[in-house]
Amino acid sequence: MHPPLYLLFCPKKTHEYLDLDAGADFDSKIVVKVNAAELARKELASPRWGGHHIAMGTNVDCYQRAEGRYKLMRGILAALRDAANPFSILTKGTLILRDLDLLTEAAEVTEVGADVSVGFVDPETWRAVEPGTPHPGRRLETCATLNDNGIACGVLMAPILPYLTDSPAQLDRTVKEIAAAGATHISPIVLHLRPGAREWWLSWLSREHPRLVPRYLELYGRGSYAPKAYQQRVVGMVKELARRHGAGRATPAVARRLPPARPATPPLSRPSPSSSACSSGKKGWRRPSGGWQDGGHPDVEDQEFGMRCLGVSQRPVGSRVSRGFLNRAHPEHRHPRARGCGQDQPD
């Protein structure tokens, strides 16, 4: 049994800062900042706030399973909409579609963007390293739906796994499906192995792909990142594939790019919902008629099911664990292990 890959690459320092263990506690306990929406509205109304772009989901996914129960994002999005404050969201899930109404309302008064994370589309690799996430096809369908409704959505193609998902054939298949989803851009990022995540990943690799351990130690022997030459080669391949398949821009900088800071603007009254959502006119990419063969992974409708497995701590925002608006406004919570949620995952 191993924790899902996408959990391995979440920052673990947050749990240490909360006097929790970065290993077992990080894998089984979450902290829910139950007043995050109220704090967001308060901070956005403050004269000190400059109306800057807010990037959500860059530290911890704000649409994890806990959000299915607590619905904190609806309050946060409503506050951003009412303040006409620009924002973007990065997520690996599909629950963002629950809030499509608020996203489209906000897009009428400010800049709104999104990215979904899809590092690869091979189903066997997905089952092995991302057992707690929606099927990559569902995530790409989410990208298409957001774009169809006027929310510009690209794909963070990450992590690209050396010797596992970086072959020309695998990259071609992934980029082709991303392009078919109508992604506005592709941002490829090769696997990072920071302390903490490094130990978890190498432990899993030694069990599942022991022959690759020496190659990883050579590739990541000097730090958390693969050599620049390797990264440039992979990014160059993705860029060429994106051009060939008609996808958007392919550069890691896009994933981290923030629009220029805007002058502070007074809060606006809530706009009337549009009678018809803006449409890109592109039908995009849809799931096969037979549905995704994903072994019962959660979609938009059933993101709450995992909550019965979680060790949940509810605490208000604003204590010593909260430093700065962006940190305090992000609910910190952790997905459970997939097997603990009744999903049939490989050991």
Side-chain angles (χ1 to χ4, degrees), residues 292-309:
W292 300 116
Q293 304 302 312
D294 58 4
H297 286 275
D299 205 343
V300 178
E301 300 85 0
D302 55 356
Q303 289 283 332
E304 295 189 34
F305 85 101
M307 290 303 299
R308 65 179 180 272
C309 318

Side-chain angles (χ1 to χ4, degrees), residues 101-128:
D101 58 331
L102 290 169
L103 293 171
T104 54
E105 290 174 10
E108 294 179 2
V109 296
T110 190
E111 181 180 1
V112 177
D115 280 88
V116 296
S117 177
V118 181
F120 43 84
V121 295
D122 176 68
E124 294 303 319
T125 304
W126 163 67
R127 291 188 185 97

Side-chain angles (χ1 to χ4, degrees), residues 88-93 113-121 130 135-147 151-160 171 173-190 235 238-239 242 246-257 282 285:
S88 59
I89 298 172
L90 170 63
T91 183
K92 208 179 190 73
D115 280 88
V116 296
S117 177
V118 181
F120 43 84
V121 295
E130 294 183 328
H135 191 288
R138 287 183 171 177
R139 286 177 253 161
L140 291 177
E141 186 178 67
T142 297
C143 175
T145 300
L146 289 169
N147 280 310
I151 307 299
C153 183
V155 169
L156 180 68
M157 190 174 165
I160 297 173
L171 293 176
R173 179 182 176 186
T174 301
V175 173
K176 183 177 181 179
E177 295 197 23
I178 291 173
T184 59
H185 58 266
I186 304 177
S187 304
I189 296 181
V190 174
V235 169
V238 173
K239 182 177 181 179
R249 292 165 293 175
T251 164
V254 177
R256 300 179 176 87
R257 176 178 56 82
K282 184 167 184 171
W285 186 79

Side-chain angles (χ1 to χ4, degrees), residues 71-249:
K71 300 179 175 62
L72 297 174
M73 282 298 292
R74 290 197 64 79
I76 293 171
L77 292 176
L80 290 166
R81 174 203 62 199
D82 293 345
N85 200 104
F87 64 90
S88 59
I89 298 172
L90 170 63
T91 183
K92 208 179 190 73
T94 58
L95 188 58
I96 187 174
L97 295 182
R98 179 202 64 188
D99 298 335
L100 188 57
D101 58 331
L102 290 169
L103 293 171
T104 54
E105 290 174 10
E108 294 179 2
V109 296
T110 190
E111 181 180 1
V112 177
D115 280 88
V116 296
S117 177
V118 181
F120 43 84
V121 295
D122 176 68
E124 294 303 319
T125 304
W126 163 67
R127 291 188 185 97
V129 300
E130 294 183 328
T133 64
H135 191 288
R138 287 183 171 177
R139 286 177 253 161
L140 291 177
E141 186 178 67
T142 297
C143 175
T145 300
L146 289 169
N147 280 310
D148 285 348
N149 285 273
I151 307 299
C153 183
V155 169
L156 180 68
M157 190 174 165
I160 297 173
L161 307 174
Y163 311 117
L164 290 173
T165 66
D166 63 344
S167 71
Q170 289 168 313
L171 293 176
D172 181 76
R173 179 182 176 186
T174 301
V175 173
K176 183 177 181 179
E177 295 197 23
I178 291 173
T184 59
H185 58 266
I186 304 177
S187 304
I189 296 181
V190 174
L191 172 70
H192 300 164
L193 285 180
R194 297 186 179 93
R198 181 187 184 94
E199 290 74 19
W200 277 97
W201 174 249
L202 291 178
S203 176
W204 176 83
L205 202 67
S206 66
R207 294 192 303 271
E208 302 297 328
H209 301 279
R211 64 182 179 81
L212 293 181
V213 172
R215 303 178 75 176
Y216 266 81
L217 292 177
E218 179 181 1
L219 198 63
Y220 291 92
R222 296 186 177 182
S224 302
Y225 300 90
K228 287 186 177 180
Y230 172 84
Q231 295 187 54
Q232 291 171 353
R233 179 172 64 85
V234 171
V235 169
M237 293 172 64
V238 173
K239 182 177 181 179
E240 172 58 26
L241 290 168
R243 184 197 63 78
R244 183 187 308 171
H245 293 298
R249 292 165 293 175

Side-chain angles (χ1 to χ4, degrees), residues 11-18 31-37 39-40 43 49 53-62 72-73 76 315-333:
K12 297 181 184 294
K13 293 297 183 182
T14 51
H15 263 52
E16 291 180 352
Y17 188 58
L18 298 173
V31 176
V32 178
K33 298 184 175 181
V34 292
N35 64 335
L39 178 68
E43 294 281 355
W49 180 246
H53 180 102
I54 295 178
M56 295 178 282
T58 58
N59 181 50
V60 178
D61 197 327
C62 49
L72 297 174
M73 282 298 292
I76 293 171
R315 65 176 72 189
V317 177
S319 63
R320 71 170 182 85
V321 303
S322 304
R323 292 180 177 176
F325 171 47
L326 294 182
N327 179 48
R328 287 180 288 156
H330 287 177
E332 294 179 358
H333 43 72

